[in-house]
Amino acid sequence: MLLQLDKITKSYGAVTANREVDFSLRAGEIHALVGENGAGKTTLMRILYGMETPTSGSITVQGEEKFFSSPTDAIRSKIGMVHQHFMLFPSFTVAENIVIGREPSKAVGFDRKEAAAQTEALARQYGMPVDPWQKVENCSLGMQQRVEILKVLHQGAEIIILDEPTAVLTPLEVKELLVAIKALSAKGKSFILISHKLQEIMEVADRITVLRDGRVTGTVNAEDTNVEELSRLMVGRDLVDMIRETPKPGKTVLEVKGLTIRGNQLNPALNDVNLHVREGEIVGIAGISGNGQSELLQAVSGLLKPDEGDVLLLGESMKGQSVRTIRERGMAHIPEDRYQWGVAKGASVLENGLMGHYRKYQRNGILRGSAIRKLVSGWVQLFGIKTGSIYTKAQNLSGGNLQKLIVARELAQKTPFLIAAEPTRGVDVGAMEIIHGELLKKRAEQGAILLVSSELTEILKLSDRILVMNEGRIVGELPAESATEQQISLLMAGGKAVG
């Protein structure tokens, strides 16, 4: 056995993140680690990578017991980790990022040509082509993921930990990554893959270990299991199929007219975008990241001022209005980037939950503490948010639990209009079921929802109408009941829908 974790336990005061976890990895194996948000997956991998020390238990690599006090120790034992949030320097080139820490030198300073040559040789060796001279800030997310993997390979890693590697990738980039992982595995590299996307896990994994509440609930061969069994092991119950009622659209709640944002590029970020969302309707927007979805949402929510066009909410122009005014007129917003737009990481769960609600929970300028605590505690229970208490700082929550807090907070606004951008990014199947159910409940209550998601399955599952964006334009509209992933993907790539 290449790697063995024996009875790993990790406690933070009264909270136990891992409870006597056993995990193993064979040479050339892809071993997936799945579980609900807060189940202890990332904590276990942080222990393996030397970012945390276990309370008890042991780590054995190639038959030798190890103690890692830092990532440097793990790297020396040929263990590398690609984090969910990339650890790259945007202003550096691809080659500079890959060789960092092991930079080739010449008589005076850093040898850039040799760094580029090493990068090209590494890329050829592992079949992962990159441009060594390209700045990382100009790379797609899929290319940045490739750079991260090449960086750990340059460090000599034989064991590669991938934490939610497909969370921000397009469908095409996901397929390319899964092919690359399989190819590297065939060359003897071993992978530990953390993911919530069970279909992807089934495509690529050899074995799968499931964690629930910090404990292992099962380790199975991928060929001997299915998504339904994995879901049961993760959440401890069978998931319920959603029942979607036939939509009953009412009056128009949101109308976007001729929205244009020129930006600093030759092609406008938004180019004459027109759309509408009615009561009792979910309108989904699909598109490859970077084709204007972010700018559209920012313009609708007041974060970005358009060069041309207008946004009408309940028939009233929002031109020139502040974010606060737009929200007070009837908009809630689940943002696509939870860390940049959704939370204050240094504030508590309670304080983050209160954002946007505090005016409703004050009397004579004094906050009603008991009512606020009851409100946020209810969300914690309904959405299964794993937190020590509502006074825990948001930065101590896993990404998925943070997402659930934001979704709960914005849905509780009970506004006529909701922007739901990547509402289930990084959440487990149980939480996804809850969030989807709550979005459909809002729709049934005649709420209007503009849904943006990189998951085509989510777009198809929830939407009544689907709009596709390409290069800042709406290039197609499809009724959800007859739309296919192939049609949507073709429009996303700039083609025309057929059939």
Side-chain angles (χ1 to χ4, degrees):
M1 196 65 69
L2 177 63
L3 170 73
Q4 185 75 47
L5 305 183
D6 288 309
K7 302 208 176 305
I8 296 291
T9 295
K10 177 63 179 178
S11 298
Y12 301 91
V15 177
T16 301
N18 295 133
R19 300 171 185 268
E20 298 191 328
V21 174
D22 294 330
F23 183 89
S24 63
L25 183 68
R26 304 179 184 118
E29 181 183 39
I30 302 170
H31 193 155
L33 186 62
V34 302
E36 291 185 282
N37 300 123
K41 307 179 299 294
T42 299
T43 299
L44 187 66
M45 290 302 101
R46 285 171 65 88
I47 289 170
L48 176 57
Y49 194 54
M51 299 175 74
E52 303 271 359
T53 54
T55 305
S56 62
S58 64
I59 300 172
T60 304
V61 181
Q62 292 185 320
E64 183 180 350
E65 188 168 338
K66 299 284 187 179
F67 177 80
F68 300 141
S69 60
S70 71
T72 302
D73 293 339
I75 291 167
R76 288 197 190 104
S77 291
K78 298 188 176 182
I79 298 171
M81 184 168 182
V82 177
H83 299 269
Q84 182 175 354
H85 303 284
F86 300 151
M87 303 288 187
L88 299 173
F89 294 96
S91 60
F92 286 15
T93 66
V94 165
E96 288 166 344
N97 272 280
I98 287 172
V99 304
I100 198 161
R102 297 188 175 196
E103 301 92 341
S105 59
K106 52 185 178 180
V108 181
F110 173 51
D111 191 339
R112 285 183 171 78
K113 286 187 178 179
E114 177 59 22
Q118 289 183 14
T119 296
E120 287 177 331
L122 192 72
R124 279 196 304 273
Q125 180 182 353
Y126 293 109
M128 301 181 74
V130 294
D131 178 357
W133 298 102
Q134 186 176 17
K135 291 277 185 76
V136 162
E137 62 191 0
N138 297 324
C139 292
S140 68
L141 291 171
M143 184 58 67
Q144 290 181 45
Q145 181 74 267
R146 188 175 295 183
V147 173
E148 285 278 21
I149 294 173
L150 286 170
K151 183 171 71 172
V152 298
L153 290 170
H154 186 264
Q155 292 168 348
E158 294 295 330
I159 297 169
I160 302 171
I161 305 164
L162 299 177
D163 189 359
E164 296 289 352
T166 65
V168 295
L169 303 187
T170 66
L172 178 60
E173 289 171 335
V174 169
K175 289 179 181 177
E176 290 174 348
L177 177 63
L178 296 183
V179 168
I181 291 171
K182 286 182 178 179
L184 289 168
S185 172
K187 293 182 178 181
K189 301 299 180 182
S190 304
F191 286 87
I192 302 172
L193 176 61
I194 300 175
S195 179
H196 291 105
K197 300 179 180 180
L198 298 183
Q199 290 288 1
E200 293 173 8
I201 290 294
M202 293 298 294
E203 282 185 48
V204 75
D206 299 303
R207 282 192 297 158
I208 303 164
T209 289
V210 183
L211 290 182
R212 185 167 78 240
D213 294 329
R215 295 182 184 273
V216 174
T217 57
T219 296
V220 294
N221 294 321
E223 62 186 8
D224 298 328
T225 190
N226 53 47
V227 169
E228 289 72 27
E229 181 187 11
L230 293 175
S231 299
R232 279 195 299 273
L233 288 170
M234 284 174 63
V235 302
R237 59 179 173 82
D238 289 323
L239 298 180
V240 179
D241 289 333
M242 291 191 316
I243 299 174
R244 293 192 68 214
E245 298 177 358
T246 303
K248 299 175 183 177
K251 65 182 181 182
T252 297
V253 175
L254 174 78
E255 188 171 7
V256 173
K257 293 184 174 181
L259 215 57
T260 297
I261 295 176
R262 297 190 183 90
N264 298 318
Q265 302 171 348
L266 294 175
N267 295 323
L270 286 182
N271 193 346
D272 192 28
V273 170
N274 297 274
L275 62 89
H276 67 278
V277 187
R278 295 170 292 182
E279 292 175 336
E281 180 181 50
I282 298 177
V283 174
I285 294 185
I288 296 170
S289 178
N291 276 270
Q293 303 96 307
S294 296
E295 290 82 0
L296 172 63
L297 297 185
Q298 290 177 40
V300 169
S301 60
L303 290 164
L304 198 59
K305 304 303 179 189
D307 293 302
E308 295 176 17
D310 199 1
V311 175
L312 280 69
L313 186 60
L314 296 169
E316 184 178 356
S317 172
M318 296 293 107
K319 186 176 288 186
Q321 298 295 339
S322 67
V323 173
R324 174 177 170 177
T325 298
I326 295 172
R327 286 180 69 91
E328 288 176 343
R329 298 281 167 83
M331 182 197 75
H333 186 185
I334 300 168
E336 61 181 329
D337 187 327
R338 54 180 168 250
Y339 293 105
Q340 183 174 2
W341 305 106
V343 295
K345 290 190 286 186
S348 69
V349 170
L350 179 67
E351 290 164 336
N352 274 282
L354 184 58
M355 291 175 184
H357 288 271
Y358 61 90
R359 293 182 188 86
K360 294 177 281 186
Y361 289 89
Q362 63 174 331
R363 186 180 293 118
N364 299 324
I366 299 173
L367 291 172
R368 295 156 51 203
S370 60
I372 295 164
R373 289 191 293 272
K374 182 179 179 181
L375 176 75
V376 178
S377 296
W379 300 342
V380 169
Q381 185 174 6
L382 174 62
F383 285 85
I385 299 169
K386 301 279 181 65
T387 177
S389 81
I390 58 174
Y391 301 104
T392 299
K393 286 190 175 182
Q395 64 194 20
N396 295 326
L397 269 64
S398 70
N401 279 299
L402 208 53
Q403 183 73 12
K404 288 189 276 187
L405 174 63
I406 295 167
V407 170
R409 181 188 69 202
E410 296 304 310
L411 284 169
Q413 295 282 358
K414 298 190 181 302
T415 53
F417 174 62
L418 170 70
I419 294 174
E422 305 291 352
T424 59
R425 175 173 282 171
V427 305
D428 56 74
V429 289
M432 190 179 298
E433 176 193 49
I434 294 169
I435 291 170
H436 285 176
E438 291 295 314
L439 290 174
L440 289 175
K441 181 181 176 184
K442 183 173 182 68
R443 167 184 176 267
E445 294 170 349
Q446 289 301 97
I449 301 173
L450 183 63
L451 170 69
V452 174
S453 176
S454 55
E455 300 291 335
L456 291 189
T457 52
E458 185 167 62
I459 291 285
L460 286 163
K461 190 175 188 179
L462 295 177
S463 303
D464 299 304
R465 290 186 291 121
I466 299 170
L467 307 177
V468 184
M469 292 194 71
N470 178 261
E471 296 185 351
R473 290 180 178 272
I474 303 289
V475 293
E477 178 175 335
L478 301 167
E481 66 267 16
S482 60
T484 66
E485 286 196 23
Q486 291 77 10
Q487 286 176 315
I488 298 170
S489 297
L490 190 61
L491 286 167
M492 285 168 61
K496 294 182 179 180
V498 293

